Amino acid sequence: MVRPYAVKGLKRKKREVEESEEDDEKTTELGGEEEDERKENEAVHDLPGIPILPSDEKSKAGVIFILERASLEVAKVGKTYQILNSDDHANFLRKHKRNPADCRPDIVHQALLAILDSPLNKAGKLRALYVKTEKGVLVEVKPYVRMPRTFKRFCGVMLQLLQKHSISATSKREKLLRVIKNPVTKYLPVNSRKIGLSHSSEKLVQLRDYVAAASDDATLVFVVGAMAHGKIDKEYTDDFISVSGYPLSAACCIGRICNALELKWKIL
Ligand SMILES: C[S@@+](CC[C@H](N)C(=O)[O-])C[C@H]1O[C@@H](n2cnc3c(N)ncnc32)[C@H](O)[C@@H]1O
């Protein structure tokens, strides 16, 4: 269970956010396997600092993100279950005839931070966020969750999520992260416009103009790949676009989407 997170006032919230930031710094400072393991266990039991979004958001316009094909795979390595990654588990993966380059949970970590930390989200425009893993597990991420900043702690939280199927803020009994049933399309509003992103698309657009032209009556749903290689499933998308002449990282693409929407909705 995640430790209760009761926000009783701004002072308390500020203090807790400060504490969590200090904690992050300590994580990078401290060394030693035991200390790392202790920190990792702590991270699994505590999602620090959940900012509260502004409640004066009146416009219905908003955005939904779907991160497709995220590399989040649990395996028993030695005596413990872990989220596989290409750095720490290269030998394990080779032994199991897997290409280490395919195990890149850092991509979805960076993509989530790019979305959740954006001014767009802070302004309350993120309607929903979904992650679908390579194995087809669909996860709903609440827009106000504060993701762990360090990769190790992120993996700890993802491990707990995939094993227990949810992570709650116990003070509100609300599930901040939870595994939900497929397909993702059943959670999308009827008026949604689903836009898939790939460098391989022949439709190269200037994203600022593209989103500026989109009607605020439709909820824009951006589908971005969170994998190292390959393409997203474009079957359920209404449009399939490329946003640069260069192959970009998922986090960079998301940065472009957020910037374009922040310009459109005058978010500074
Ligand atoms: C590391 S890339 C995956 C590479 C993959 N070959 C591709 O282009 O789809 C992660 C994701 O970023 C997005 N992406 C990367 N470059 C892009 C571009 N120039 N235009 C649109 N989307 C892009 C795609 O959604 C892609 O799935």
Side-chain angles (χ1 to χ4, degrees), residues 197-200 223-225 227-228 230-232 241-244 246-250 253:
L197 268 80
S198 176
H199 178 232
S200 65
V223 186
V224 179
M227 67 297 191
K231 286 180 210 148
I232 55 164
I241 60 168
S242 173
V243 297
S244 168
Y246 301 96
L248 306 174
S249 66
C253 276

Side-chain angles (χ1 to χ4, degrees), residues 136-150:
V137 179
L138 184 62
V139 173
E140 179 194 29
V141 179
K142 290 287 160 65
Y144 39 85
V145 70
R146 189 177 189 276
M147 272 298 154
R149 330 305 287 168
T150 67

Side-chain angles (χ1 to χ4, degrees), residues 5-23 48-52 146:
Y5 184 88
V7 180
K8 292 246 167 74
L10 274 177
K11 266 192 193 161
R12 169 95 181 261
K13 188 160 70 98
K14 192 165 169 255
R15 198 177 65 230
E16 292 193 3
V17 169
E18 279 167 4
E19 276 171 5
S20 85
E21 279 167 1
E22 279 168 20
D23 196 28
I50 299 153
I52 293 171
R146 189 177 189 276

Side-chain angles (χ1 to χ4, degrees), residues 109-130:
H109 182 216
Q110 287 174 15
L112 284 169
L113 292 180
I115 296 169
L116 294 168
D117 288 352
S118 67
L120 188 74
N121 184 30
K122 290 177 187 193
K125 293 288 191 182
L126 180 63
R127 294 280 170 266
L129 169 55
Y130 302 98

Side-chain angles (χ1 to χ4, degrees), residues 219-236:
T219 303
L220 297 177
V221 179
F222 287 96
V223 186
V224 179
M227 67 297 191
H229 312 284
K231 286 180 210 148
I232 55 164
D233 169 17
K234 65 174 182 180
E235 286 307 300
Y236 68 93

Side-chain angles (χ1 to χ4, degrees), residues 146-159:
R146 189 177 189 276
M147 272 298 154
R149 330 305 287 168
T150 67
F151 178 64
K152 202 166 180 181
R153 294 172 75 184
F154 170 74
C155 287
V157 171
M158 290 299 117
L159 179 66

Side-chain angles (χ1 to χ4, degrees), residues 26 42 49 64 83 85 93 103 123 127 130 135 161 166 201 215 222 254 263:
K26 274 184 220 148
E42 271 180 16
I64 293 174
I83 297 278
N85 76 75
L93 288 162
C103 287
R127 294 280 170 266
Y130 302 98
K135 298 256 178 210
L161 170 68
S166 69
S201 165
S215 161
F222 287 96
I254 288 162
L263 269 174

Side-chain angles (χ1 to χ4, degrees), residues 86-100:
S86 57
D87 289 330
D88 299 326
H89 308 118
N91 291 337
F92 175 90
L93 288 162
R94 277 192 212 101
K95 208 168 109 189
H96 288 84
K97 309 220 178 325
R98 301 271 308 275
N99 182 0

